[in-house]
Amino acid sequence: NQDKTKRMKRVTLKLTTLVMLLGGAITVSNAQSTKINVVTSAVPFLRISPDIRGAGMGDVGIATTADANSGYANIAKIPFSTSQAGFGASYTPWLRDLGISDVYVAALNGFYKLDEESAISGSLRYFSLGSIEFTNSIGDPQGSYRPREMAIDAGYSRKLSAKNSIGLAIRYISSNLAGTVNNVTYKKASAVAGDLHFFHNGAKENGEGFSWGVALSNLGSKISYTSDANQKDYIPANFGIGGAYTKVFDEDNKMTFALDLNKLMVPTPGDTTPGALNKYRTQSVVSSWFKSFGDAPDGISEEIQEVTASLGLEYWYNNQFAFRAGYFYENPTKGNRKFLSVGAGLKYNVFGLNFAYIFPSGNGSTRNPLSNTYRFGLVFDFDGSK
C-alpha cells in the first residue's frame, strides 16, 4: 500500500544517509559525462553549524561579530564580545522536505570571559538519525536501531593585541550508527580533534569597519566502525577564511555584509579500484591535510571546485530587530548544495531569539533535501550593557 511504500522510501533515505555518514569515496559520471567526484568524510554532522544567526545568512560566521555561538565558526571572536558571558541553544530538523520527521541536530553552547583579554567556552552537539529498520537480502526484519552522534567541545581564546586574537578548542567525537546488522557488528566509533582559529577585529568603536578571520577546524584522528585498521575514515578537517564589513548609518541602523570560503582538508577520491582505495585510506592524517590542496585528479581547476561559498547580509534596527538573508553555493560536481536562506532575530535585554529558513531549490532528482527547513535558536547574553 501507499503508506508502506512511503515508509520504505523514508527508510531508504535514512540508510543512504547512514552510508554517507560511514564515509567512503563517491566517483560517478552522468549521461553528459560530467564527472561527479564528491569529497566525503565520516561524521559529516560536524559540518552542520548550529549557529542559527549564521544559518539565516547562508551559513557565514568566521568574521561576523561575536556572540554565544561564535565557538562553532571562529572561537577567536569571543574575547571581543561585549558580554561577560553567553549561552545558546538551537534545534535544526534535518531532511524534513523528504518526509522524515525524526532526524535533527540539537546543540548547547556557552562562554565566559575570564577578563578583558581571554575567555573559556564549551559546547555539546547531538545528531539523531531517528529509528532505522534493518532487513536481510530477502526482506526479513533484522531489528531496528537508533543511530546517533555527538561532539563535546572545550575551548580557550585570547587577544594577541587590541585587534587580533587566537582561539584553541579540543573536541571529543562519538558516533554510534549501526550495532549488529546481518551478523556483522559495527562498533561505536570515537575520535579526538582540535580547532585553531584567528580573528582580526577591524571595527571602530561604533562597530563600523572590516573584520576577517581564518579557521582550521576538526584537525584530528581518523575514525573507524570496525576493528580493521585499513577501514578508518577521515573526519571533516576544514580550512575556512572569511570577511565581514559593517556599515553604521546612525544610532539605530547598521548593516553587515559577510563572505566565507571553506574547503575540506580531506583527500579527493580517485578511482574505486582496490589499490586506489587502499592508497586513499592509508594516507596519514597530517599528510592528507596538506595533500588535499593538490591531489584532485583534474588539477587546480578541480581544487577550486571543492571550495564552497557563503554570502550573507544582516540588518539591525536599534540593536533589537535583525533581518538576514544569504546564499550558499557548492559546485555541482562536489555535492551541488545550493540554497537561499532568510532569517530574523529579536533581542530584548539579555534574551535573544533567532530564526532561519532555507528556501526550496531544485526539482525532482535535483531537489535540495535542505529545502523547507526551519531552524530555531535561543541566545542569552549576560552583562551585555558593556
Side-chain angles (χ1 to χ4, degrees):
N1 57 40
Q2 290 185 345
D3 290 340
K4 183 177 181 180
T5 300
K6 290 181 179 179
R7 184 168 64 254
M8 289 304 297
K9 286 183 177 179
R10 289 196 293 268
V11 171
T12 301
L13 286 167
K14 284 186 182 180
L15 289 174
T16 302
T17 304
L18 182 60
V19 171
M20 294 178 66
L21 289 172
L22 287 169
I26 302 176
T27 306
V28 299
S29 297
N30 62 18
Q32 290 74 37
S33 298
T34 300
K35 188 176 182 181
I36 308 298
N37 195 14
V38 180
V39 180
T40 63
S41 72
V43 291
F45 81 99
L46 294 175
R47 301 175 67 190
I48 305 172
S49 173
D51 180 7
I52 307 304
R53 174 193 176 198
M57 302 168 66
D59 273 346
V60 299
I62 294 177
T64 51
T65 54
D67 60 17
N69 294 302
S70 294
Y72 298 122
N74 192 344
I75 193 175
K77 297 189 299 183
I78 294 178
F80 290 99
S81 172
T82 57
S83 302
Q84 179 68 30
F87 174 79
S90 65
Y91 175 78
T92 299
W94 216 242
L95 304 178
R96 189 57 54 89
D97 196 47
L98 299 179
I100 298 173
S101 60
D102 55 358
V103 178
Y104 64 88
V105 179
L108 298 173
N109 54 276
F111 74 88
Y112 178 78
K113 292 176 66 174
L114 302 173
D115 49 43
E116 289 300 315
E117 305 296 324
S118 61
I120 55 175
S121 57
S123 70
L124 169 65
R125 278 176 276 184
Y126 180 80
F127 181 34
S128 171
L129 265 170
S131 179
I132 293 180
E133 299 175 5
F134 293 99
T135 63
N136 59 19
S137 59
I138 61 175
D140 295 330
Q142 298 293 302
S144 62
Y145 200 74
R146 296 188 65 86
R148 55 204 180 276
E149 298 180 308
M150 72 172 186
I152 302 174
D153 298 9
Y156 174 79
S157 50
R158 184 176 184 83
K159 289 182 181 178
L160 300 176
S161 65
K163 294 290 185 179
N164 300 315
S165 60
I166 192 171
L168 301 170
I170 187 169
R171 176 170 303 113
Y172 170 74
I173 305 161
S174 176
S175 179
N176 193 357
L177 294 182
T180 300
V181 181
N182 294 329
N183 298 320
V184 177
T185 299
Y186 295 91
K187 69 177 185 178
K188 179 180 179 181
S190 62
V192 176
D195 294 348
L196 175 60
H197 296 167
F198 175 84
F199 179 63
H200 173 79
N201 180 22
K204 303 175 184 178
E205 188 173 348
N206 68 346
E208 183 171 294
F210 177 76
S211 300
W212 57 274
V214 179
L216 293 168
S217 305
N218 299 316
L219 304 178
S221 61
K222 294 182 183 180
I223 195 169
S224 177
Y225 300 90
T226 72
S227 299
D228 188 344
N230 294 322
Q231 293 297 316
K232 293 185 177 181
D233 293 296
Y234 300 98
I235 64 175
N238 186 83
F239 172 76
I241 58 174
Y245 175 74
T246 298
K247 174 64 178 178
V248 178
F249 299 99
D250 51 45
E251 291 184 357
D252 293 330
N253 300 276
K254 63 181 179 180
M255 186 174 292
T256 297
F257 304 87
L259 172 67
D260 284 4
L261 301 175
N262 285 280
K263 184 187 184 303
L264 279 176
M265 296 166 60
V266 175
T268 303
D271 59 64
T272 56
T273 61
L277 286 176
N278 182 66
K279 182 178 179 181
Y280 171 84
R281 288 182 175 274
T282 55
Q283 294 185 60
S284 70
V285 172
V286 176
S287 67
S288 71
W289 298 339
F290 293 98
K291 290 181 179 179
S292 67
F293 291 94
D295 64 350
D298 290 339
I300 186 64
S301 61
E302 186 175 350
E303 293 292 347
I304 294 174
Q305 292 173 359
E306 293 179 358
V307 177
T308 63
S310 299
L311 181 65
L313 170 69
E314 180 180 57
Y315 167 76
W316 276 99
Y317 174 73
N318 197 31
N319 284 327
Q320 288 185 311
F321 305 98
F323 301 93
R324 306 176 181 115
Y327 178 69
F328 179 91
Y329 174 83
E330 183 177 60
N331 190 276
T333 65
K334 296 297 178 178
N336 202 28
R337 291 177 299 157
K338 301 173 186 177
F339 58 82
L340 289 168
S341 64
V342 294
L346 170 66
K347 287 180 65 177
Y348 180 76
N349 214 342
V350 301
F351 171 77
L353 174 64
N354 290 315
F355 162 84
Y357 174 75
I358 298 177
F359 281 103
S361 60
N363 294 291
S365 62
T366 64
R367 178 79 167 178
N368 192 325
L370 308 183
S371 297
N372 292 324
T373 298
Y374 296 88
R375 307 173 69 176
F376 304 92
L378 299 176
V379 175
F380 297 89
D381 291 313
F382 302 100
D383 195 21
S385 60
K386 292 183 180 181

